[in-house]
mmCIF file of all heavy atoms in Angstrom:
data_model
loop_
_atom_site.group_PDB
_atom_site.id
_atom_site.type_symbol
_atom_site.label_atom_id
_atom_site.label_comp_id
_atom_site.label_asym_id
_atom_site.label_seq_id
_atom_site.Cartn_x
_atom_site.Cartn_y
_atom_site.Cartn_z
ATOM 1 N N THR A 497 -30.062 -10.136 -33.914
ATOM 2 C CA THR A 497 -30.340 -10.797 -35.143
ATOM 3 C C THR A 497 -29.280 -10.783 -36.278
ATOM 4 O O THR A 497 -29.445 -11.347 -37.227
ATOM 5 C CB THR A 497 -31.638 -10.080 -35.698
ATOM 6 O OG1 THR A 497 -31.462 -8.753 -35.882
ATOM 7 C CG2 THR A 497 -32.902 -10.329 -34.828
ATOM 8 N N GLY A 498 -28.306 -9.862 -35.969
ATOM 9 C CA GLY A 498 -27.271 -9.688 -37.053
ATOM 10 C C GLY A 498 -26.316 -10.837 -37.254
ATOM 11 O O GLY A 498 -26.088 -11.611 -36.325
ATOM 12 N N GLU A 499 -25.744 -10.830 -38.419
ATOM 13 C CA GLU A 499 -24.691 -11.858 -38.660
ATOM 14 C C GLU A 499 -23.477 -11.380 -37.877
ATOM 15 O O GLU A 499 -22.651 -12.189 -37.436
ATOM 16 C CB GLU A 499 -24.500 -11.969 -40.176
ATOM 17 C CG GLU A 499 -23.393 -12.867 -40.624
ATOM 18 C CD GLU A 499 -23.800 -14.351 -40.435
ATOM 19 O OE1 GLU A 499 -24.938 -14.686 -40.311
ATOM 20 O OE2 GLU A 499 -22.871 -15.136 -40.272
ATOM 21 N N ARG A 500 -23.280 -10.133 -38.032
ATOM 22 C CA ARG A 500 -22.113 -9.467 -37.264
ATOM 23 C C ARG A 500 -22.820 -8.528 -36.242
ATOM 24 O O ARG A 500 -23.795 -7.866 -36.542
ATOM 25 C CB ARG A 500 -21.230 -8.650 -38.251
ATOM 26 C CG ARG A 500 -20.773 -9.410 -39.424
ATOM 27 C CD ARG A 500 -19.831 -8.600 -40.329
ATOM 28 N NE ARG A 500 -18.443 -8.638 -39.856
ATOM 29 C CZ ARG A 500 -17.497 -7.978 -40.491
ATOM 30 N NH1 ARG A 500 -17.664 -7.145 -41.433
ATOM 31 N NH2 ARG A 500 -16.205 -8.212 -40.045
ATOM 32 N N VAL A 501 -22.230 -8.625 -34.976
ATOM 33 C CA VAL A 501 -22.932 -7.919 -33.931
ATOM 34 C C VAL A 501 -21.822 -7.125 -33.127
ATOM 35 O O VAL A 501 -20.817 -7.548 -32.715
ATOM 36 C CB VAL A 501 -23.534 -8.901 -32.917
ATOM 37 C CG1 VAL A 501 -23.861 -8.262 -31.667
ATOM 38 C CG2 VAL A 501 -24.866 -9.467 -33.672
ATOM 39 N N ALA A 502 -22.210 -5.727 -32.891
ATOM 40 C CA ALA A 502 -21.404 -4.896 -31.980
ATOM 41 C C ALA A 502 -22.253 -4.644 -30.734
ATOM 42 O O ALA A 502 -23.322 -4.071 -30.957
ATOM 43 C CB ALA A 502 -21.076 -3.657 -32.703
ATOM 44 N N LEU A 503 -21.833 -4.990 -29.646
ATOM 45 C CA LEU A 503 -22.545 -4.933 -28.330
ATOM 46 C C LEU A 503 -21.981 -3.701 -27.562
ATOM 47 O O LEU A 503 -20.845 -3.746 -27.124
ATOM 48 C CB LEU A 503 -22.352 -6.225 -27.537
ATOM 49 C CG LEU A 503 -22.821 -7.440 -28.278
ATOM 50 C CD1 LEU A 503 -22.074 -8.712 -27.792
ATOM 51 C CD2 LEU A 503 -24.361 -7.585 -27.926
ATOM 52 N N LEU A 504 -22.823 -2.754 -27.366
ATOM 53 C CA LEU A 504 -22.449 -1.476 -26.680
ATOM 54 C C LEU A 504 -22.724 -1.596 -25.200
ATOM 55 O O LEU A 504 -23.846 -1.980 -24.798
ATOM 56 C CB LEU A 504 -23.113 -0.266 -27.204
ATOM 57 C CG LEU A 504 -22.309 0.453 -28.172
ATOM 58 C CD1 LEU A 504 -22.211 -0.379 -29.537
ATOM 59 C CD2 LEU A 504 -22.902 1.840 -28.440
ATOM 60 N N LEU A 505 -21.754 -1.429 -24.326
ATOM 61 C CA LEU A 505 -21.922 -1.467 -22.986
ATOM 62 C C LEU A 505 -21.338 -0.232 -22.199
ATOM 63 O O LEU A 505 -20.256 0.258 -22.544
ATOM 64 C CB LEU A 505 -21.264 -2.673 -22.379
ATOM 65 C CG LEU A 505 -21.741 -4.058 -22.859
ATOM 66 C CD1 LEU A 505 -20.610 -4.832 -23.560
ATOM 67 C CD2 LEU A 505 -22.215 -4.909 -21.734
ATOM 68 N N GLY A 506 -22.064 0.280 -21.232
ATOM 69 C CA GLY A 506 -21.677 1.399 -20.465
ATOM 70 C C GLY A 506 -21.278 0.924 -19.066
ATOM 71 O O GLY A 506 -21.461 -0.223 -18.716
ATOM 72 N N ALA A 507 -20.749 1.947 -18.256
ATOM 73 C CA ALA A 507 -20.366 1.491 -16.928
ATOM 74 C C ALA A 507 -21.673 1.250 -16.065
ATOM 75 O O ALA A 507 -22.709 1.769 -16.382
ATOM 76 C CB ALA A 507 -19.565 2.716 -16.341
ATOM 77 N N GLU A 508 -21.441 0.483 -15.072
ATOM 78 C CA GLU A 508 -22.523 0.294 -14.046
ATOM 79 C C GLU A 508 -22.909 1.588 -13.481
ATOM 80 O O GLU A 508 -22.063 2.524 -13.278
ATOM 81 C CB GLU A 508 -21.956 -0.506 -12.805
ATOM 82 C CG GLU A 508 -21.826 -1.979 -13.108
ATOM 83 C CD GLU A 508 -21.066 -2.563 -11.955
ATOM 84 O OE1 GLU A 508 -21.539 -2.432 -10.705
ATOM 85 O OE2 GLU A 508 -19.990 -3.122 -12.134
ATOM 86 N N GLY A 509 -24.210 1.732 -13.204
ATOM 87 C CA GLY A 509 -24.638 3.000 -12.726
ATOM 88 C C GLY A 509 -25.067 3.863 -13.842
ATOM 89 O O GLY A 509 -26.207 3.835 -14.335
ATOM 90 N N PRO A 510 -24.121 4.741 -14.398
ATOM 91 C CA PRO A 510 -24.608 5.663 -15.422
ATOM 92 C C PRO A 510 -25.120 4.914 -16.711
ATOM 93 O O PRO A 510 -25.993 5.437 -17.452
ATOM 94 C CB PRO A 510 -23.365 6.513 -15.737
ATOM 95 C CG PRO A 510 -22.257 5.746 -15.239
ATOM 96 C CD PRO A 510 -22.773 4.949 -14.046
ATOM 97 N N GLY A 511 -24.480 3.740 -17.055
ATOM 98 C CA GLY A 511 -24.851 3.091 -18.266
ATOM 99 C C GLY A 511 -24.433 3.972 -19.520
ATOM 100 O O GLY A 511 -23.575 4.848 -19.359
ATOM 101 N N LEU A 512 -24.969 3.661 -20.633
ATOM 102 C CA LEU A 512 -24.623 4.393 -21.917
ATOM 103 C C LEU A 512 -25.321 5.724 -21.836
ATOM 104 O O LEU A 512 -26.505 5.938 -21.460
ATOM 105 C CB LEU A 512 -25.133 3.564 -23.072
ATOM 106 C CG LEU A 512 -24.373 2.261 -23.328
ATOM 107 C CD1 LEU A 512 -25.138 1.440 -24.398
ATOM 108 C CD2 LEU A 512 -23.020 2.585 -23.853
ATOM 109 N N ALA A 513 -24.589 6.730 -22.443
ATOM 110 C CA ALA A 513 -25.276 8.027 -22.614
ATOM 111 C C ALA A 513 -26.341 7.934 -23.628
ATOM 112 O O ALA A 513 -26.347 7.112 -24.515
ATOM 113 C CB ALA A 513 -24.155 8.997 -23.158
ATOM 114 N N GLU A 514 -27.417 8.764 -23.377
ATOM 115 C CA GLU A 514 -28.586 8.762 -24.286
ATOM 116 C C GLU A 514 -28.245 9.042 -25.769
ATOM 117 O O GLU A 514 -28.692 8.408 -26.656
ATOM 118 C CB GLU A 514 -29.613 9.695 -23.735
ATOM 119 C CG GLU A 514 -30.959 9.755 -24.566
ATOM 120 C CD GLU A 514 -31.562 8.385 -24.715
ATOM 121 O OE1 GLU A 514 -31.500 7.575 -23.790
ATOM 122 O OE2 GLU A 514 -32.154 8.178 -25.778
ATOM 123 N N HIS A 515 -27.261 9.979 -25.927
ATOM 124 C CA HIS A 515 -26.948 10.182 -27.378
ATOM 125 C C HIS A 515 -26.137 9.047 -27.930
ATOM 126 O O HIS A 515 -26.168 8.862 -29.241
ATOM 127 C CB HIS A 515 -26.199 11.566 -27.495
ATOM 128 C CG HIS A 515 -24.815 11.538 -27.022
ATOM 129 N ND1 HIS A 515 -24.531 11.680 -25.597
ATOM 130 C CD2 HIS A 515 -23.576 11.483 -27.575
ATOM 131 C CE1 HIS A 515 -23.224 11.611 -25.513
ATOM 132 N NE2 HIS A 515 -22.582 11.577 -26.641
ATOM 133 N N THR A 516 -25.510 8.278 -27.077
ATOM 134 C CA THR A 516 -24.927 6.995 -27.701
ATOM 135 C C THR A 516 -25.973 6.046 -28.045
ATOM 136 O O THR A 516 -25.971 5.319 -29.062
ATOM 137 C CB THR A 516 -23.955 6.425 -26.571
ATOM 138 O OG1 THR A 516 -22.949 7.479 -26.318
ATOM 139 C CG2 THR A 516 -23.267 5.248 -27.146
ATOM 140 N N MET A 517 -26.895 5.795 -27.105
ATOM 141 C CA MET A 517 -28.073 4.941 -27.369
ATOM 142 C C MET A 517 -28.696 5.246 -28.746
ATOM 143 O O MET A 517 -29.044 4.388 -29.466
ATOM 144 C CB MET A 517 -29.150 5.115 -26.302
ATOM 145 C CG MET A 517 -28.670 4.646 -24.909
ATOM 146 S SD MET A 517 -29.183 2.896 -24.570
ATOM 147 C CE MET A 517 -29.200 3.030 -22.827
ATOM 148 N N ARG A 518 -28.881 6.547 -28.945
ATOM 149 C CA ARG A 518 -29.632 6.884 -30.194
ATOM 150 C C ARG A 518 -28.732 6.556 -31.447
ATOM 151 O O ARG A 518 -29.341 6.533 -32.518
ATOM 152 C CB ARG A 518 -29.865 8.461 -30.189
ATOM 153 C CG ARG A 518 -31.073 8.807 -29.376
ATOM 154 C CD ARG A 518 -31.610 10.164 -29.764
ATOM 155 N NE ARG A 518 -30.679 11.267 -29.259
ATOM 156 C CZ ARG A 518 -30.856 11.847 -28.180
ATOM 157 N NH1 ARG A 518 -31.709 11.531 -27.310
ATOM 158 N NH2 ARG A 518 -29.910 12.793 -27.848
#
Side-chain angles (χ1 to χ4, degrees):
Chain A
T497 55
E499 180 67 25
R500 311 181 86 180
V501 161
L503 298 152
L504 263 69
L505 297 121
E508 284 173 57
L512 292 166
E514 181 54 34
H515 70 284
T516 303
M517 291 264 203
R518 279 199 292 268

